[in-house]
Amino acid sequence: AAWALLRSLFRRALMASGWCTIESDPGVFSELITELGVKGVQVHELWSLDKESMAEVGPVHGLIFLFRWRGEKDDRATVTPGPGVFFASQMIPNACATQAILSVLMNCPSISLGEEMTAFKAFTKDFPPDVKGLAISNSDLLRRVHNSFARAEPTVSEERRASKEEDEVYHFISYVPVDGKLYELDGLKAGPICLGDAGPGEAWLDAVTPAIQARARALGRGRALG
């Protein structure tokens, strides 16, 4: 009953809110992260997942994969998020870029989130994925910062819509190591996809490369942000 009431309250607030499409640019994402109060994190664009490219950007907390979304069927099994995994369902169009960024930030204990995002993480810690998604969509801070980077031209919604063949509809998903496991986090799915053991330190980067390459082959050309 408590979750039903919270869902109802969030959904009512959501009706009065709106999220714009933002630029898909690592500089924009880095500035967005800074505006949220997070310290010491930058986003870099990667056109290759080789070890040399990874080493150039320094410690890698997570990877975000951008691809053209066509609504392809994906039968891979999802898992119930464990207590250490922050996973939120995407409840509103145009929020997937910011949500993918949050999926990395909230799942890396070594990142200094700042006062407001630390409080948000604590507030949503025990929420199920859909209520976490509603909390993101209704956060004044997240919506304000996200919309401050709105694209100048009008665009179609990024996902969950019937698009014409010529439309370019894009989506972002995240890859992060959490508690020794490697996860693919996509807010349009029912839950995280566990890709196996992450290994110690940055060994997870060796495991994530074939996973992203496989997704790229299945979905068409994409690019990674780290």
Side-chain angles (χ1 to χ4, degrees):
W3 289 130
L5 176 60
L6 193 54
R7 288 186 181 97
S8 177
L9 292 173
F10 274 143
R11 289 185 188 280
R12 289 181 185 179
L14 188 59
M15 294 176 65
S17 67
W19 289 59
C20 302
T21 302
I22 66 174
E23 294 287 350
S24 172
D25 178 84
V28 167
F29 293 165
S30 294
E31 191 172 348
L32 183 151
I33 291 170
T34 300
E35 289 294 316
L36 291 176
V38 179
K39 307 294 184 183
V41 176
Q42 286 190 316
V43 178
H44 300 269
E45 188 168 24
L46 298 172
W47 290 98
S48 173
L49 296 176
D50 59 80
K51 291 185 178 180
E52 291 76 14
S53 297
M54 297 287 189
E56 288 179 0
V57 301
V60 180
H61 301 297
L63 293 172
I64 297 172
F65 181 54
L66 168 64
F67 62 93
R68 185 171 179 180
W69 190 83
R70 300 184 180 90
E72 291 90 345
K73 186 177 181 181
D74 185 355
D75 293 325
R76 292 177 301 160
T78 59
V79 299
T80 300
V85 179
F86 181 95
F87 176 80
S89 302
Q90 185 179 332
M91 305 302 289
I92 191 171
N94 301 328
C96 68
T98 295
Q99 189 149 332
I101 292 170
L102 289 175
S103 291
V104 175
L105 298 177
M106 296 293 187
N107 281 301
C108 185
S110 64
I111 291 178
S112 177
L113 293 176
E115 182 179 354
E116 291 188 89
M117 295 313 299
T118 296
F120 181 84
K121 182 177 180 179
F123 172 64
T124 61
K125 182 178 184 296
D126 296 323
F127 290 1
D130 63 331
V131 180
K132 273 191 176 77
L134 288 168
I136 289 172
S137 302
N138 284 284
S139 166
D140 289 336
L141 171 65
L142 290 171
R143 183 172 60 251
R144 175 177 55 78
V145 172
H146 173 98
N147 286 344
S148 70
F149 296 99
R151 294 177 60 171
E153 70 276 16
T155 60
V156 297
S157 297
E158 289 173 337
E159 61 282 297
R160 283 198 185 281
R161 53 150 287 178
S163 64
K164 297 180 181 179
E165 185 177 348
E166 65 271 15
D167 286 340
E168 292 189 350
V169 182
Y170 290 91
H171 186 53
F172 298 81
I173 56 179
S174 304
Y175 294 85
V176 291
V178 183
D179 294 336
K181 296 294 183 181
L182 176 61
Y183 293 97
E184 178 183 307
L185 303 180
D186 180 351
L188 297 184
K189 297 192 182 309
I193 295 176
C194 182
L195 301 174
D197 292 333
E202 291 198 346
W204 71 275
L205 293 173
D206 295 327
V208 78
T209 297
I212 293 180
Q213 289 172 338
R215 291 294 284 155
R217 286 192 296 269
L219 296 167
R221 185 178 179 182
R223 73 179 198 266
L225 302 172

